Structures are given as C-alpha cells and as structure tokens.
Amino acid sequence: MNDMTPFATTLKDWETDQEVRWCPGCGDYAILKAVQRTLPQLGANPANTVFISGIGCSSRFPYYMESYGFHTIHGRAPAIATGVKLANPDLDIWLVTGDGDGLSIGGNHLMHVLRRNVNMQIMLFNNEIYGLTKGQYSPTSREGTKSPTTPLGSYDHPARPAAFALGAGARFVARGFDVSKKLPEVLMAAHAHQGAAFVEIFQNCVVYNKDVFDDFAQPKGAEDRQLWLENGQPMLFAGGTQGIALDRHLLRPMVVSVENGDWEAAGVLVHDVSNRTVAHMLVEMPFGPFPMALGVLYDDPRPTFEAAVAQERAQSSAGKEPDLARLLSKGQTWTVGDNAADPVSTRPPGQGAPNADEPLT
C-alpha cells in the first residue's frame, strides 16, 4: 500500500513545460489553475496521481499536469480509468471530460462508472457546445442554440449533467464554475468522498458560446443569483435576503423573502447532503425563477467497486497456490514440435491419438 502521508508540493510543482493551448480567455485556464491550487492543499503526490481524459478541449488537461496521465479516445475515458483503478487501487484518479465527450458517445461509459461507484474524481466541463470541432451544438446546448449543425436553432431538449449523474446512481454530485473562488473547495470535497465523485463545472467558451453563463457566473454582479450549498446550513442567497423553501401543497421548491435574518420563520430549508430527493429538486430547479444551485448537492458514500473486486479476488484465491503451468496444462493439451505434421501428444496416457476431425486444444 502507498504511504498516505501528505506530500508537500506547490502550484508550480504541478505545472508542466508544455505550452497551454486553449483559446485566449477560455474558462479551461481557470479550471486548470483551480486544480493546481487544490492538489497541494490535499497533500497529493504527483507520483501517485493520474489524470485521464477523452477527446475535446477539456481533454488536453493531462498534458498540463505534472503527474501521470492518459489522453485517450472519444468517450472512453471512464472505461480506461476504471481499468487503471482496478489495476492499482492506490492511485488517485482524476477523470476529465466535457459535455460532448461525456454525454454523447461517452454517455454509456459515464453511466457505468457512476453506478459502479469506482473511486475517482470526475470533472465534466460543461460549455454547452462542441468547441474543438468548431461549434456544433452539444447534448447540453439550450433550445434555440444556433450553430453550424443547428443554423435555425436547436430544438433538442438539453441534458442536465448533474441530473444524469443522480439518475445513474452517483453517490456524490456537485457543481461549480470556472472562475469561482469556491471551486477548489468543491474539488476538495469531491476528493474526500470515497467513490465516484461527479463535479459539473460550467465553463465559458469564448469563441463559440461566449458568456452563456453570465447570468450567474460572471466575475462581478451575479452573486445574487448563486445558491452556494453548505451541509447543515440554510439555503440562502442574495446576501441572505432570500432563500429556498418547500411548497408543502405542491411539493416543489419556492423562493421566499427573509426578513431581519429570520430564515426559520420564512421556512427556508436546511441543506442535508445525504438527502437524495432534495438533491434531485435542486438540480432540476429552473434558473431564472430560481438561483443556480452550486457546491455539493449530494454526498452519501457507499462501498466502492474496486473494494468489492478486491474482496472477491481474495475470497476466490484463499488457500490456493498460484501455478500457471498447471493451469495451462489442465485437461487435454497438445504441444506442436518442430515438425508441424508430427505433433507431440500430451494427452493423458491410455486415451490414444485424436481422430482427424478432433480439434487441437
């Protein structure tokens, strides 16, 4: 087992000598720095850390982290990350994907890594567009989005990544956005979770979908439209003057005013990260009438996939001595000599030679 003693690093220790090649102003730069600031706080060891990505702008991430990494194939990063974790459960796995990579061709793989609960951090960069392939609409693009593939506006109903994760059985679901100062806190909470930790990160694509999240994510002036969730704390926003309550007749959320700081009198809900029902309600709240729910929406751990696999391996091998040669020679076998026409039989004595139609095994 690896030594879990915190490893002392700085942000500079996680930077590579590679030129960072994203468009100037891309939100990926801010996410990269947030991750590089977070890892030293976690005491992470670069020699024990692996970044695994698929295809897309976000998937260049492993090049820019001074650790191990794989830049893999379209949509298949969750499958490869699962294999890496099973091969060496001690490794700290960070999976990087995008709304196109993770929710189109990779939707099936993403679903299974979540439901299996493989212990890793999954960062899905959501810019609601295909950036690398020049601006086509993606699974998360809003209705009406104009792009080269939807010149008159998309009529698809967009996927909601956090809702998808909850529906797939994820035990940890969180949200943040690229330039938020609180993003490292979200990433640290994801890392502390034992299991598949899913973090949707809203990311500005300055070329093909510029400022699409400005209503709640612009650097200044949008704080009143952000609901930052904290376990055990009331769901307050707009400087504490408004909150989220439950309409007990219609069983749906509603915005209430909070007077003189008395949120209890206003019926404001207290956030419980283990409440899956409320987590579903928070991810489905329509932005506009409601603020954008950010932070840790759901966190309720259960045993991990790789732990179950390790236990099964231990049980199946208990009391047994590994003997590869014995396994290979078990049953009827044939060894072919130099003269292929004259095979040397290793068939058990007394069984005779095979007939002409009998296959060699």
Side-chain angles (χ1 to χ4, degrees):
M1 297 291 288
N2 286 329
D3 185 2
M4 300 306 292
T5 303
F7 196 85
T9 61
T10 66
L11 182 151
K12 294 292 184 182
D13 293 318
W14 294 93
E15 295 179 339
T16 70
D17 60 358
Q18 300 296 301
E19 178 188 0
V20 182
R21 299 181 63 185
W22 287 312
C23 300
C26 175
D28 287 354
Y29 286 96
I31 301 172
L32 175 63
K33 288 302 178 186
V35 173
Q36 290 172 336
R37 287 196 303 270
T38 300
L39 292 169
Q41 297 180 62
L42 296 173
N45 184 346
N48 195 50
T49 304
V50 185
F51 283 84
I52 300 174
S53 65
I55 294 296
C57 296
S58 63
S59 294
R60 297 192 59 81
F61 213 88
Y63 295 107
Y64 310 137
M65 297 300 302
E66 189 60 49
S67 65
Y68 291 102
F70 293 91
H71 185 185
T72 70
I73 54 179
H74 204 183
R76 273 64 176 184
I80 294 170
T82 299
V84 173
K85 190 66 177 179
L86 291 178
N88 187 348
D90 292 336
L91 293 176
D92 187 10
I93 308 294
W94 293 77
L95 192 153
V96 184
T97 186
D99 49 300
D101 180 64
L103 293 176
S104 56
I105 193 171
N108 182 54
H109 293 284
L110 184 59
M111 175 184 72
H112 294 306
V113 78
L114 292 171
R115 72 170 181 82
R116 285 174 173 149
N117 198 38
V118 186
N119 190 14
M120 65 181 70
Q121 296 73 241
I122 302 167
M123 299 186 295
L124 185 144
F125 298 10
N126 181 12
N127 57 18
E128 296 188 0
I129 207 76
Y130 277 107
L132 187 66
T133 51
K134 306 300 185 279
Q136 300 88 344
Y137 83 117
S138 82
T140 60
S141 295
R142 305 176 193 187
E143 294 176 21
T145 297
K146 293 185 178 181
S147 77
T149 47
T150 54
L152 300 180
S154 170
Y155 47 81
D156 278 4
H157 182 67
R160 294 177 180 266
F164 170 88
L166 283 169
R171 310 298 299 188
F172 181 100
V173 178
R175 277 178 176 159
F177 60 91
D178 47 14
V179 296
S180 171
K181 294 181 180 179
K182 295 184 179 182
L183 182 56
E185 296 177 19
V186 176
L187 298 176
M188 292 179 71
H191 189 270
H193 176 87
Q194 293 298 301
F198 180 87
V199 182
E200 177 186 8
I201 305 175
F202 298 106
Q203 175 253 319
N204 187 27
C205 176
V206 295
V207 176
Y208 298 110
N209 211 17
K210 185 178 181 182
D211 301 335
V212 69
F213 303 118
D214 262 10
D215 284 347
F216 69 88
Q218 60 183 334
K220 294 182 180 179
E223 294 86 355
D224 289 351
R225 295 180 288 281
Q226 301 170 14
L227 171 63
W228 281 99
L229 300 161
E230 186 176 347
N231 191 40
Q233 296 300 314
M235 298 184 188
L236 297 170
F237 64 102
T241 62
Q242 292 183 295
I244 301 297
L246 181 66
D247 185 323
R248 301 187 183 277
H249 297 288
L250 300 176
L251 295 179
R252 64 186 184 189
M254 62 181 183
V255 174
V256 294
S257 296
V258 177
E259 297 182 3
N260 301 318
D262 193 352
W263 57 267
E264 290 180 289
V268 174
L269 294 172
V270 173
H271 186 44
D272 176 3
V273 293
S274 66
N275 191 321
R276 191 177 188 85
T277 300
V278 173
H280 275 284
M281 180 188 78
L282 290 168
V283 301
E284 294 290 351
M285 285 194 315
F287 179 72
F290 294 91
M292 178 59 68
L294 300 163
V296 179
L297 289 83
Y298 181 62
D299 184 359
D300 189 17
R302 66 177 173 87
T304 64
F305 181 68
E306 70 277 5
V309 171
Q311 182 179 16
E312 180 187 55
R313 288 173 178 170
Q315 290 175 345
S316 63
S317 61
K320 299 177 182 178
E321 291 294 331
D323 190 337
L324 181 61
R326 182 180 178 185
L327 178 64
L328 293 176
S329 61
K330 185 177 180 180
Q332 177 178 306
T333 62
W334 288 86
T335 301
V336 179
D338 294 336
N339 185 353
D342 184 24
V344 179
S345 173
T346 59
R347 172 183 290 254
Q351 293 188 11
N355 59 48
D357 296 327
E358 184 176 346
L360 298 179
T361 63

